[in-house]
Amino acid sequence: MSTDDERAARVEDVRALALAMPDVVVSEGDYPGFSVGGKAFVFFRGPRKDAFDPETGELYTDVIAFHVESEEDKQALVRDESTPFFTTPHWNGYRAVLVLGRDIGRLSRGELAEIVQDAWLARAPKRAVKAWLARAQE
């Protein structure tokens, strides 16, 4: 792992890592999203009533969603207390995990890169996945 991969992740790394993946389309705005093959794999969310601070009741304003391959992957990330990932009842049955931008530094940049790559792999067309995995093996 390089020194850059070992440093604490930053919110701006999400964009850079998502754009490093092939065939990514960005939806700009206050809350950007990143998609491949017409499917979002990472996106920023605005405040919503399903995600709030349980102590203050204030809506979270810095939620980032990452798609995952399976419900098992989702549960593994959410249940691992060493990670900043969480979910809400609104996301039941939906293969994605959430993280607050303010907590992203609990991940290393390398860990974040793996999460973004896995999100892309979970949503990309099979042909694109096959090509990307082949290049990664070289």
Side-chain angles (χ1 to χ4, degrees), residues 37-107:
K39 296 178 182 177
F41 66 97
V42 174
F43 57 94
F44 291 77
R45 280 189 29 176
R48 292 179 47 114
K49 64 183 176 187
D50 69 298
F52 58 89
D53 184 311
E55 293 179 18
T56 67
E58 289 186 44
L59 299 180
Y60 292 135
T61 59
D62 59 342
V63 175
I64 309 166
F66 298 87
H67 280 270
V68 294
E69 180 64 32
S70 67
E71 181 66 23
E72 292 78 22
D73 291 341
K74 175 181 178 172
Q75 292 306 319
L77 287 169
V78 169
R79 290 183 178 147
D80 183 347
E81 293 182 14
S82 72
T83 75
F85 298 105
F86 69 100
T87 190
T88 68
H90 175 78
W91 293 84
N92 287 349
Y94 195 68
R95 295 183 323 219
V97 293
L98 308 174
V99 67
L100 298 177
R102 68 190 93 166
D103 292 336
I104 207 150
R106 289 180 48 200
L107 299 170

